Amino acid sequence: MRRLISAQCALPRIRAEIEIPGGAPGWLGWLVATDAGGAVVGVAAGGVPVPGEGEVYALAVAPGSRRTGVGTALLAAATDRMRAYDAREQRVKLPVDGDPALPFYLHQGFTALADPARLSRPLP
């Protein structure tokens, strides 16, 4: 999560997105999961940058909270937001081929596109 936050939440990036007239196109914001004590255990971000096509920009779960349903819940919440903006397909780009998150996304119904690090699934 620290790598994700340092890349996605850098002040210059946030400043640039805020300064876009009307906001960043298709940006739906961040979702944050916390434990009972309020500690952040997962984050997700996404949007609908192209009509009909949702994009998972980021999804990360703290190591101690993996395999507990946090990632699945965050993906489901992001998917619901995308559907509300008429997304019929959802995509994600993994940082590298063979990324450790690949099994998670495959289990969620994603399949590889021409680029094996780029995955997609239809949204019913």
Side-chain angles (χ1 to χ4, degrees):
M1 282 194 318
R2 289 173 202 238
R3 177 178 53 88
L4 176 69
I5 290 169
S6 69
Q8 303 292 330
C9 299
L11 289 178
R13 179 182 178 139
I14 292 170
R15 184 175 293 116
E17 289 175 352
I18 290 170
E19 292 172 353
I20 296 171
W27 170 248
L28 297 179
W30 285 93
L31 297 165
V32 178
T34 61
D35 65 14
V40 174
V41 295
V43 296
V48 183
V50 176
E53 190 176 296
E55 182 80 23
V56 177
Y57 299 134
L59 188 129
V61 176
S65 296
R66 292 182 184 150
R67 298 187 178 269
T68 64
V70 172
T72 299
L74 285 166
L75 181 60
T79 301
D80 288 345
R81 281 187 173 186
M82 291 173 194
R83 279 193 192 108
Y85 285 84
D86 299 321
R88 296 175 305 282
E89 183 180 9
Q90 189 174 51
R91 295 183 175 200
V92 64
K93 176 152 179 50
L94 301 177
V96 295
D97 290 347
D99 188 278
L102 180 61
F104 169 79
Y105 286 108
L106 294 176
H107 181 75
Q108 298 296 324
F110 285 81
T111 58
L113 297 171
D115 173 354
R118 189 109 171 102
L119 308 171
S120 176
R121 73 175 179 174
L123 296 179

